[in-house]
Amino acid sequence: SQTIHQWPATLVQPVGSPLSLECTVEGTSNPNLYWYRQAAGRGLQLLFYSVGIGQISSEVPQNLSASRPQDRQFILSSKKLLLSDSGFYLCAWGRRGSYGYTFGSGTRLTVV
Amino acid sequence: GQQLNQSPQSMFIQEGEDVSMNCTSSSIFNTWLWYKQEPGEGPVLLIALYKAGELTSNGRLTAQFGITRKDSFLNISASIPSDVGIYFCAITSGSRLTFGEGTQLTVNP
């Protein structure tokens, strides 16, 4: 069966520090991969998605970047965090041609 | 991008009551999805709708794909405390999944 792993679960980082959040998927190949951010427990904002290794689509220009170095690995990064980067970050995967993504358990990021 | 209008924004109900929420858009879509998110977790898919007019159930949950293909409804019957969470509608466009703003449901025992 397929599983998605996301870590860390919580993170407190100072303003100006770098960020690296990792997401990996097991049990499938060639997944579509996604990073979402959720602020204040409400709407999910799509940040990046990837349909293949090295292919990244950015939805919202901002202080963050994403990379997909391997088929089942998706990384969210920042060189210098801002206070506004605080939020709940969710990774998700989906099969091409089908609907309904599977989400990871999320990372609660607090920038102080 | 596509904008989904989900209402109500929040609901406070008593255990045993029925719940109804909806999602509308100005655009036509071929698929409507409903997710539930519990506190501190990622959203989980509840129901997927693929055909206009389709009515699909999952236990006490029933969702309908509007005949105009611009809206969808989710009903929960005989609510229980574990129904608490945020319910999201979502649509697919290409490789992207776009979510509504969510309905926060609180169930009082």
Side-chain angles (χ1 to χ4, degrees):
Chain A
S1 62
Q2 299 85 19
T3 56
I4 180 168
H5 302 280
Q6 191 178 341
W7 68 92
T10 60
L11 191 60
V12 180
Q13 292 284 101
V15 168
S17 63
L19 172 74
S20 181
L21 301 180
E22 189 164 344
C23 173
T24 59
V25 180
E26 295 178 357
T28 188
S29 59
N30 300 317
N32 287 345
L33 297 172
Y34 305 85
W35 279 110
Y36 283 85
R37 178 169 61 198
Q38 185 177 35
R42 296 314 299 268
L44 295 155
Q45 180 186 38
L46 178 61
L47 302 176
F48 301 94
Y49 69 95
S50 172
V51 299
I53 297 174
Q55 300 178 57
I56 307 295
S57 296
S58 175
E59 290 293 297
V60 182
Q62 57 202 320
N63 186 40
L64 302 169
S65 62
S67 62
R68 185 171 177 173
Q70 300 181 45
D71 182 45
R72 290 170 290 176
Q73 183 184 29
F74 205 24
I75 298 172
L76 183 69
S77 304
S78 174
K79 293 182 179 178
K80 290 184 178 181
L81 283 169
L82 306 172
L83 287 173
S84 58
D85 292 324
S86 294
F88 192 46
Y89 288 82
L90 288 155
C91 180
W93 78 274
R95 281 199 182 91
R96 295 175 193 182
S98 68
Y99 307 107
Y101 301 176
T102 300
F103 283 83
S105 55
T107 295
R108 175 76 58 191
L109 172 66
T110 304
V111 182
V112 296
Chain B
Q2 297 84 11
Q3 184 169 357
L4 302 180
N5 300 308
Q6 189 171 348
S7 65
Q9 189 174 37
S10 60
M11 301 182 74
F12 298 85
I13 63 170
Q14 293 296 126
E15 183 176 359
E17 289 183 6
D18 296 342
V19 173
S20 184
M21 60 191 77
N22 70 82
C23 209
T24 62
S25 173
S26 58
S27 301
I28 292 174
F29 296 107
N30 294 321
T31 302
W32 283 90
L33 307 169
W34 285 94
Y35 282 80
K36 178 189 178 186
Q37 184 182 27
E38 298 191 3
E41 298 291 330
V44 174
L45 181 65
L46 298 174
I47 293 177
L49 301 162
Y50 302 108
K51 186 178 177 182
E54 178 182 359
L55 188 71
T56 298
S57 294
N58 178 3
R60 292 178 295 105
L61 277 63
T62 302
Q64 183 163 23
F65 192 149
I67 197 69
T68 65
R69 293 164 60 193
K70 293 183 178 181
D71 56 10
S72 180
F73 303 85
L74 176 68
N75 296 315
I76 305 173
S77 62
S79 59
I80 59 178
S82 62
D83 289 333
V84 164
I86 304 176
Y87 292 80
F88 292 99
C89 63
I91 55 90
T92 58
S93 176
S95 299
R96 296 170 295 179
L97 191 63
T98 300
F99 289 84
E101 285 298 302
T103 295
Q104 173 77 61
L105 178 64
T106 302
V107 181
N108 297 313

